[in-house]
């Protein structure tokens, strides 16, 4: 999968931010979106292990920014010379 494929995938998905919320009845979480309070939010998954729900929500929320970082680095041919701080700065600027 290329960066263009990932960008297209993000473009077709429901906009973020997504978040994970604990199921009050069980030790599971659900992934929700739309930024509304839990009672009004759209549940997008069946119950998941907490770590999986956290990953899905974080990936959907942060993947667009990470794509920007990768594309910027590629455009500047600087993939190997970016420091972790520079990656954070670029990611922060694209949000």
């Amino acid at each position: 999968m290329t960066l263009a494929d990932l960008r297209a995938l993000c473009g077709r998905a429901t906009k973020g931010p997504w978040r994970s919320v604990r199921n009050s009845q069980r030790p599971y979480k659900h992934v929700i979106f739309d930024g509304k309070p839990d009672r009004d939010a759209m549940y997008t998954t069946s119950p998941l292990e907490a770590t999986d729900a956290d990953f899905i929500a974080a990936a959907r929320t942060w993947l667009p920014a990470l794509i920007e970082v990768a594309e910027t680095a590629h455009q500047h041919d600087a993939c190997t010379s970016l420091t972790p701080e520079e990656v954070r700065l670029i990611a922060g600027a694209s949000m």
Side-chain angles (χ1 to χ4, degrees):
M1 186 170 272
T2 67
L3 287 175
D5 294 335
L6 288 173
R7 182 177 288 290
L9 186 65
C10 285
R12 291 188 304 268
T14 301
K15 302 295 181 227
W18 289 20
R19 58 194 168 101
S20 60
V21 293
R22 182 152 311 277
N23 181 322
S24 61
Q25 308 282 317
R26 298 187 180 113
Y28 301 110
K29 284 188 169 182
H30 294 273
V31 175
I32 63 172
F33 62 90
D34 79 1
K36 294 180 181 177
D38 293 349
R39 70 184 185 294
D40 296 329
M42 175 62 72
Y43 284 78
T44 63
T45 65
S46 300
L48 296 168
E49 292 295 326
T51 52
D52 293 335
D54 293 343
F55 175 80
I56 292 167
R60 174 61 189 115
T61 299
W62 287 99
L63 188 56
L66 294 173
I67 292 168
E68 291 292 327
V69 169
E71 288 175 339
T72 299
H74 181 71
Q75 290 169 359
H76 291 75
D77 197 29
C79 290
T80 59
S81 63
L82 285 177
T83 67
E85 180 61 24
E86 289 169 323
V87 170
R88 282 191 291 278
L89 289 171
I90 294 168
S94 65
M95 302 237 19

